[in-house]
Amino acid sequence: MKKNSAGFIIAIDGPAGSGKSTTARLVAQRLGFFHLDTGAMYRAITLKIIEAGIRLTNRRQLQQLLDSTQLNLKWENDRLRVLLDKRDVTEAIRQPAVSALVSPVSAIRSVREKLVAEQRRLAAGRNVVCEGRDIGSVVFPHAQLKIYLDCDLKERARRRLAELKGKANLEQVRKNLAERDRIDSHRRHSPLRRARDAILIDTTHLTIEEQVALVCALARRRLADPD
Ligand code: DC
């Protein structure tokens, strides 16, 4: 397998609610890797678009907004903080208005170009666990380990609802996930898909601990024998 000059990269892709974020965070903690949550970056841009009141069809204003945006991720007390133009938006990017708009925003080519460049910059020279939709296929096609997490839609909705602590109902959450799956999988630029060389893990009947242990074991095997 080709060695990546950026360090050792674990790419985790999959649909919303498949357990990517929790798995990526814990795998990164256990291996001492940097956790790169690319969904959080698409959410931060979406928040900025909502706050600025820009229409997605106004490509000129959108480009200006992208050009003037600074994104950063940093670890603080075992938690990943998302900084948008130096403002901490870690909680704000989880609100339903952002979840509702993030898929259309992430389907726009200029948004993807900006964020893929940022993701490569943030990963440069580091060992990274990077999660998203196009990590193994587009962002880091030479990642040393590629995982594709999948999970039954109903189970994903149940997990998301638990995270939202009752701020929505199961049917609303299921619909939002199904709609995001549809847009993320069918868009023209970098659709969600399993890279040919990604290892498929179905998490429907797995606990978080089982998922994390499995990915760590695969990573340790690859680290010991990169070829
Ligand atoms: O992982 P998440 O649910 O926080 O991601 C939010 C949205 O961002 C998701 O609907 C699709 C988009 N996304 C993407 O297009 N590419 C990525 N690498 C990560 C997320």
Side-chain angles (χ1 to χ4, degrees):
M1 182 155 303
K2 186 168 173 181
K3 187 101 184 104
N4 197 313
S5 60
F8 191 96
I9 295 192
I10 302 174
I12 303 184
D13 289 301
S18 56
K20 289 188 307 295
S21 292
T22 312
T23 304
R25 178 168 54 81
L26 293 173
V27 168
Q29 265 174 20
R30 284 189 200 174
L31 299 179
F33 279 28
F34 180 68
H35 174 200
L36 189 43
D37 176 356
T38 62
M41 299 169 77
Y42 286 94
R43 286 172 177 274
I45 290 287
T46 304
L47 177 68
K48 187 161 174 175
I49 290 171
I50 293 172
E51 288 178 346
I54 289 176
R55 283 172 192 269
L56 299 187
T57 46
N58 190 334
R59 295 302 155 104
R60 194 181 51 81
Q61 278 189 352
L62 186 61
Q63 191 58 52
Q64 279 171 355
L65 179 140
L66 290 172
D67 291 343
S68 63
T69 297
Q70 242 189 35
L71 274 175
N72 236 320
L73 300 177
K74 68 166 186 185
W75 275 98
E76 217 175 72
N77 304 326
D78 264 2
R79 272 215 65 186
L80 188 73
R81 311 297 309 180
V82 184
L83 301 181
L84 171 67
D85 301 324
K86 304 209 168 104
R87 172 167 66 114
D88 191 327
V89 293
T90 312
E91 276 80 36
I93 60 171
R94 301 290 156 194
Q95 55 184 291
V98 174
S99 300
L101 195 68
V102 66
S103 279
V105 168
S106 59
I108 299 170
R109 189 160 81 176
S110 56
V111 172
R112 301 206 73 80
E113 282 171 356
K114 159 97 181 173
L115 292 193
V116 168
E118 288 290 307
Q119 288 152 20
R120 292 180 179 149
R121 179 184 66 79
L122 286 167
R126 286 169 147 156
N127 292 329
V128 173
V129 182
C130 186
E131 46 142 328
R133 304 292 188 289
D134 59 340
I135 309 306
S137 55
V138 174
V139 185
F140 299 117
H142 300 302
Q144 287 87 341
L145 177 62
K146 297 183 189 178
I147 305 287
Y148 189 90
L149 292 186
D150 210 350
C151 179
D152 176 73
L153 175 63
K154 240 200 230 150
E155 176 58 23
R156 289 192 279 131
R158 262 188 236 118
R159 292 177 188 173
R160 246 321 123 83
L161 187 66
E163 274 170 23
L164 291 169
K165 300 193 175 81
K167 282 188 218 136
N169 68 48
L170 188 65
E171 191 46 26
Q172 280 169 340
V173 177
R174 197 192 62 76
K175 271 198 182 144
N176 173 265
L177 287 178
E179 179 60 5
R180 281 170 55 196
D181 283 354
R182 192 186 64 72
I183 301 177
D184 297 346
S185 311
H186 292 93
R187 67 185 177 214
R188 180 133 62 101
H189 310 295
S190 312
L192 166 66
R193 67 178 168 82
R194 178 183 164 196
R196 232 180 345 101
D197 49 350
I199 297 168
L200 174 68
I201 301 177
D202 186 333
T203 71
T204 310
H205 303 293
L206 293 183
T207 63
I208 286 294
E209 179 48 39
E210 287 167 334
Q211 295 171 43
V212 172
L214 193 53
V215 178
C216 283
L218 289 165
R220 289 197 179 102
R221 208 179 303 159
R222 282 284 157 90
L223 277 161
D225 180 12
D227 298 314

